Amino acid sequence: MKLISTGLLMIGALLLTGCSTLPDSLKGRMDQPVTEYPVVASMTAANQGEEVRMGGMIASVENREADSVVEIVALPTSSAGRPDIGASSLGRFKAVFSGFVDPADYAKGRPITVLGEFVEQQMGKVGGYEYAYPVLSVKGHQLWNIEQKVIDDDRPYCYGLYCSRVRVGVGTGRVQSVITLP
């Protein structure tokens, strides 16, 4: 009996870790790249080339002749690299992709996580406000989807072995957003 329960526990642990592993596109040369926005925001030319992994929501895309710049609103990320879309903004950064990125795929508001190397701090504007953007040269990235599902909060009414959902008036429920792989 103990062997069966231990086996079930091991299988459950493997299934849970399978759901929270970092995608290969976000695995870099270092075991632990810099992932904290305040650290990246304070980097200088002396940190050029340091590996960074950050995520957030796409704010804009600018395609240039040889590369594309994606402006990202930084959000905290999980150990699996997923941005926390319910969290407050940590700041902004720019991710430079070699070649063309399609604004239809890299749409405003879409979650993304990038792995790259720190290049520089670049001055720009957010509206009329002067802003210092950390700039990353992208080596890998992951676009995420936002799936929404309605969770029914109405509780069933049970009498003995008989249960039913009796609604008087409007039912209650909520919409939950979840980040998933495409």
Side-chain angles (χ1 to χ4, degrees):
M1 185 66 162
K2 185 176 180 177
L3 182 62
I4 292 172
S5 62
T6 305
L8 288 174
L9 183 63
M10 297 283 283
I11 290 170
L14 285 172
L15 287 173
L16 286 175
T17 57
C19 295
S20 65
T21 58
L22 190 66
D24 288 339
S25 61
L26 298 176
K27 293 179 182 173
R29 66 180 190 276
M30 299 173 58
D31 287 337
Q32 186 56 41
V34 179
T35 58
E36 299 297 322
Y37 180 81
V39 174
V40 177
S42 66
M43 287 183 168
T44 64
N47 302 104
Q48 193 171 23
E50 281 198 42
E51 194 168 58
V52 174
R53 182 176 58 238
M54 290 194 305
M57 303 288 267
I58 296 173
S60 67
V61 174
E62 177 191 354
N63 284 299
R64 303 185 296 198
E65 192 172 317
D67 58 16
S68 299
V69 179
V70 178
E71 182 178 331
I72 301 167
V73 176
L75 297 171
T77 57
S78 69
S79 60
R82 289 181 176 89
D84 180 357
I85 60 174
S88 295
S89 166
L90 300 172
R92 292 177 180 235
F93 67 98
K94 291 186 178 185
V96 180
F97 290 75
S98 61
F100 174 80
V101 298
D102 194 329
D105 292 330
Y106 295 77
K108 182 177 181 175
R110 185 160 187 195
I112 187 172
T113 305
V114 298
L115 173 73
E117 294 178 352
F118 176 77
V119 177
E120 65 180 345
Q121 295 287 344
Q122 183 181 83
M123 293 307 293
K125 288 193 173 196
V126 178
Y129 183 80
E130 286 286 326
Y131 196 83
Y133 289 93
V135 178
L136 306 179
S137 174
V138 176
K139 304 298 177 206
H141 72 286
Q142 178 66 56
L143 288 169
W144 306 94
N145 288 336
I146 299 176
E147 290 184 6
Q148 294 184 331
K149 56 185 174 182
V150 175
I151 298 173
D152 186 0
D153 286 335
D154 284 340
R155 303 287 183 248
Y157 169 76
C158 295
Y159 181 75
L161 296 175
Y162 175 74
C163 292
S164 70
R165 291 191 180 268
V166 177
R167 269 193 198 155
V168 177
V170 178
T172 61
R174 57 191 159 86
V175 176
Q176 180 181 25
S177 298
V178 180
I179 301 265
T180 62
L181 288 169

